[in-house]
Amino acid sequence: MPTQILKAHKVRLYPNEDQQIFFAKSFGCSRFIWNKMLGDKIDHYKATKTTLNNTPAQYKKEFEWLKEVDSLALANVQQQLRGAYNKFFKQSSGFPNFKKKGIRDSYTTNNQKGTVAITDSTVKLPKIGHINAKFPDKINGLIKSATINRTPSGRYYVSLLVETIVNALPKTQSNIGIDLGLTDFIVLSDGTKVANPKFLSKLQDKLARAQKILAKRRAIAKADQRKLSESRNYQKQKLKVAKVYEKITNTRKDFLHKLSFNIIKNHDVIAIEDLNVKGMVKNRKLAKAISDSSWSSFTTMLAYKAEWYGKTLVKIDRWYPSSKTCSNCGHLLTKAELPLSVRSWNCPSCLQENDRDLNASINILNQGLLLAKQSKTVGATGLA
């Protein structure tokens, strides 16, 4: 059955010099409004113990250069700040931070009667017109908004949020359990093992060399009493470091998207662990490996793709002893009987030899099928 969804398409932009200047102004104005509104809210609360309902419009008389950029970009900053405040008070998340130049430079605008549109080779944006672009795939549907950002490596992208229709994938009569790991990225209950690509580890030496050169050039600039922004050699090397990081991020995302779609396409019920990733990365010995694996991104992709394509994703309680339970007879070992260093074990009850990860994935599948019958499924929000 067709489902209406909101899907984001990331498109590479190739702006000319004037367009780059406009983007820089837009990034700067968006950052200024965020910081100004946040600072005024904080000062107002300290003085009155009440919340200040300020808007971008009230700052335009004092700061007339704010009129040079898209007004919807500033309006979206107001909405984002309001959302961050609500999240802080209602969900006890972190308090909104002030923004810095060069870190996640972006702004968002909305499509109003065709102000955001696409052609075969360009993207049209308000107050700037058509920008040369490269589309990775075909975009079908109504464009709702566009978020433009500049990466640390100096590349420009626009994320187009499109309202479109997707058709449910055909049922395969196949169900799967997934055990997440570090040696193998995932182990499936059918015995399939997907190796961990370790994208960061593969480029660790190249990254370390680039960062070492960057540190030397920072020291040279400091010794010469020059600002880093005025040191060409430092800026060139900073760009090289950013490109290495960007390559790691892009290859990782490509791997996760392809793997998650392949699993959704070939299975009807997917069962997976609900891991406490935030808690796990506090382990200094495993933090880098866990972050490199991006389990959270993978489970989030599985969640929204299952929702899009009519499949069922079930999360298993993080305390469920999937590794210590024999998948054949249900015998449960203690933590002392099965330390992390033991990768396989023989069940003392039925004598079955259990591969630790494969056994866990089978138990996850069995538990997931029980929960699926009770309709205890989870969407993208629940897993994220």
Side-chain angles (χ1 to χ4, degrees):
M1 184 176 178
T3 305
Q4 183 173 291
I5 65 168
L6 289 174
K7 185 176 183 180
H9 295 266
K10 189 175 182 180
V11 178
R12 176 81 182 273
L13 296 178
Y14 297 88
N16 58 36
E17 189 174 345
D18 291 338
Q19 291 167 340
Q20 289 182 34
I21 292 172
F22 177 82
F23 283 151
K25 289 181 179 179
S26 299
F27 298 147
C29 289
S30 297
R31 181 174 59 252
F32 172 82
I33 281 294
W34 173 281
N35 291 340
K36 185 65 176 174
M37 292 179 65
L38 178 58
D40 288 349
K41 282 178 180 290
I42 294 172
D43 293 341
H44 183 81
Y45 184 81
K46 286 180 179 178
T48 66
K49 301 301 178 184
T50 60
T51 302
L52 175 65
N53 294 317
N54 47 352
T55 66
Q58 69 190 63
Y59 297 99
K60 288 186 177 180
K61 288 185 179 180
E62 182 179 358
F63 308 101
E64 292 190 357
W65 37 266
L66 291 173
K67 299 176 183 179
E68 296 179 21
V69 302
D70 184 2
S71 60
L72 289 175
L74 305 183
N76 279 304
V77 171
Q78 179 186 357
Q79 296 296 328
Q80 292 162 5
L81 184 57
R82 183 183 298 165
Y85 252 78
N86 291 338
K87 194 173 181 180
F88 170 72
F89 287 110
K90 294 181 180 179
Q91 301 179 23
S92 300
S93 63
F95 189 78
N97 295 318
F98 290 99
K99 295 188 176 182
K100 295 182 180 180
K101 183 178 180 180
I103 300 177
R104 295 181 182 177
D105 288 335
S106 68
Y107 77 92
T108 299
T109 187
N110 304 97
N111 182 19
Q112 293 186 331
K113 298 180 180 180
T115 54
V116 178
I118 60 173
T119 67
D120 291 339
S121 59
T122 65
V123 174
K124 178 188 174 186
L125 295 173
K127 297 196 79 168
I128 190 172
H130 290 270
I131 306 161
N132 291 331
K134 185 177 181 180
F135 297 89
D137 50 16
K138 191 174 181 180
I139 298 176
N140 294 315
L142 175 64
I143 299 174
K144 305 292 286 185
S145 66
T147 299
I148 300 89
N149 76 290
R150 180 179 57 205
T151 67
S153 65
R155 295 175 179 173
Y156 292 84
Y157 293 91
V158 59
S159 181
L160 300 171
L161 188 64
V162 179
E163 187 177 78
T164 188
I165 301 293
V166 295
N167 294 309
L169 291 171
K171 299 298 182 181
T172 62
Q173 309 306 317
S174 172
N175 306 315
I176 204 74
I178 302 175
D179 179 61
L180 298 166
L182 292 176
T183 304
D184 295 300
F185 179 69
I186 57 171
V187 176
L188 304 181
S189 55
D190 63 3
T192 303
K193 295 185 177 183
V194 178
N196 192 338
K198 298 181 180 179
F199 298 106
L200 177 60
S201 298
K202 288 179 179 178
L203 291 174
Q204 186 65 56
D205 291 341
K206 183 176 181 180
L207 180 62
R209 286 194 299 270
Q211 289 177 323
K212 188 175 181 179
I213 295 172
L214 184 68
K216 288 182 178 179
R217 292 184 176 176
R218 182 190 296 113
I220 292 172
K222 187 176 180 180
D224 294 341
Q225 296 184 340
R226 285 184 288 117
K227 293 181 180 179
L228 294 180
S229 59
E230 297 174 354
S231 174
R232 290 186 178 183
N233 287 335
Y234 175 84
Q235 293 301 325
K236 287 179 182 178
Q237 190 61 29
K238 184 180 178 182
L239 191 62
K240 290 181 180 179
V241 172
K243 286 182 177 180
V244 177
Y245 274 118
E246 196 168 305
K247 183 176 181 180
I248 294 170
T249 301
N250 291 341
T251 51
R252 183 189 290 127
K253 282 185 178 179
D254 182 66
F255 166 77
L256 295 177
H257 273 297
K258 289 176 179 176
L259 179 60
S260 58
F261 180 75
N262 188 54
I263 290 172
I264 294 297
K265 179 182 178 181
N266 293 309
H267 305 286
D268 297 337
V269 177
I270 301 98
I272 195 165
E273 298 171 282
D274 178 25
L275 296 175
N276 179 19
V277 177
K278 286 185 178 180
M280 295 173 73
V281 294
K282 292 179 181 178
N283 184 330
R284 292 184 179 180
K285 293 182 180 180
L286 298 176
K288 183 180 288 187
I290 292 172
S291 298
D292 193 17
S293 297
S294 289
W295 290 336
S296 294
S297 297
F298 177 65
T299 51
T300 300
M301 288 177 186
L302 283 176
Y304 71 71
K305 288 175 184 178
E307 197 172 312
W308 285 0
Y309 298 113
K311 301 302 179 78
T312 301
L313 180 70
V314 186
K315 66 175 179 180
I316 308 304
D317 188 276
R318 64 185 59 167
W319 303 114
Y320 177 69
S322 58
S323 298
K324 298 190 288 289
T325 303
C326 177
S327 58
N328 184 48
C329 68
H331 180 83
L332 179 63
L333 298 180
T334 64
K335 187 175 182 179
E337 291 177 305
L338 191 65
L340 284 172
S341 58
V342 176
R343 306 314 302 171
S344 63
W345 55 282
N346 293 321
C347 177
S349 180
C350 68
L351 304 181
Q352 174 176 274
E353 184 178 355
N354 294 312
D355 176 276
R356 183 189 186 105
D357 298 330
L358 177 58
N359 178 69
S361 64
I362 294 172
N363 285 325
I364 289 169
L365 172 61
N366 294 334
Q367 185 71 3
L369 292 175
L370 290 175
L371 294 177
K373 290 179 180 178
Q374 302 169 21
S375 299
K376 292 184 178 179
T377 59
V378 63
T381 303
L383 265 172

